[in-house]
Amino acid sequence: MKPPPCEKPDPFLCRVDAIPDGEARGFPLPGEHHPRAVLIVRQGHEIYGYRNRCPHQGTPLDWTPDRFFNLEKTHLQCATHGAQFQIEDGHCVAGPCLDKTLERVPLRIKDEKIHLDIAHETQKP
Ligand code: FES
């Protein structure tokens, strides 16, 4: 008899209310060294997840832990050369990587808990 498939639970990141409205937090990803390999942004009831990796040169966006925004908090901002990204889709609207986008991270939100959606991630070609 064939053993059941090994199913890993999707990694739990945090509760929704652990990220204040209008703020962002960084989290590690399994198998990656950077302690904030992914960033999660909360805007009201919307939650967005991106790789913490600038499309310009691949550096983390935050200049100090969990500081992902420009001063006005209207855009995500790269600490290295100042590229600015729309919060809702990660599209770069200013800076050296204009028109590129942050890599979105699939999330699953259930019972006010945010998980990485690994099942969705493995369905990618
Ligand atoms: S590395 Fe982000 S703008 Fe250059």
Side-chain angles (χ1 to χ4, degrees):
M1 185 169 163
K2 202 172 168 184
C6 179
E7 291 186 22
K8 289 184 181 174
D10 293 339
F12 170 67
L13 297 177
C14 69
R15 292 188 51 83
V16 169
D17 59 9
I19 304 175
D21 189 8
E23 297 287 338
R25 294 284 182 270
F27 296 90
L29 279 178
E32 297 208 9
H33 298 295
H34 194 285
R36 297 175 307 285
V38 63
L39 68 105
I40 306 297
V41 187
R42 179 178 172 201
Q43 295 278 287
H45 296 291
E46 301 295 330
I47 306 288
Y48 306 100
Y50 299 104
R51 296 297 298 260
N52 185 13
R53 188 170 53 209
C54 181
H56 181 219
Q57 291 188 343
T59 58
L61 299 183
D62 50 338
W63 57 276
T64 192
D66 298 325
R67 302 294 288 265
F68 293 104
F69 289 103
N70 61 354
L71 287 177
E72 300 80 15
K73 290 193 153 188
T74 56
H75 292 84
L76 298 166
Q77 181 170 305
C78 177
T80 305
H81 305 112
Q84 297 204 15
F85 303 88
Q86 295 179 151
I87 294 167
E88 65 276 12
D89 60 8
H91 186 79
C92 181
V93 294
C97 48
L98 193 64
D99 285 335
K100 293 187 177 175
T101 56
L102 297 173
E103 182 182 343
R104 194 178 280 270
V105 172
L107 301 175
R108 186 170 54 82
I109 300 165
K110 186 175 181 190
D111 299 330
E112 296 296 309
K113 296 176 183 167
I114 305 171
H115 299 256
L116 285 176
D117 192 353
I118 286 180
H120 180 270
E121 184 76 1
T122 56
Q123 291 172 4
K124 285 171 47 175

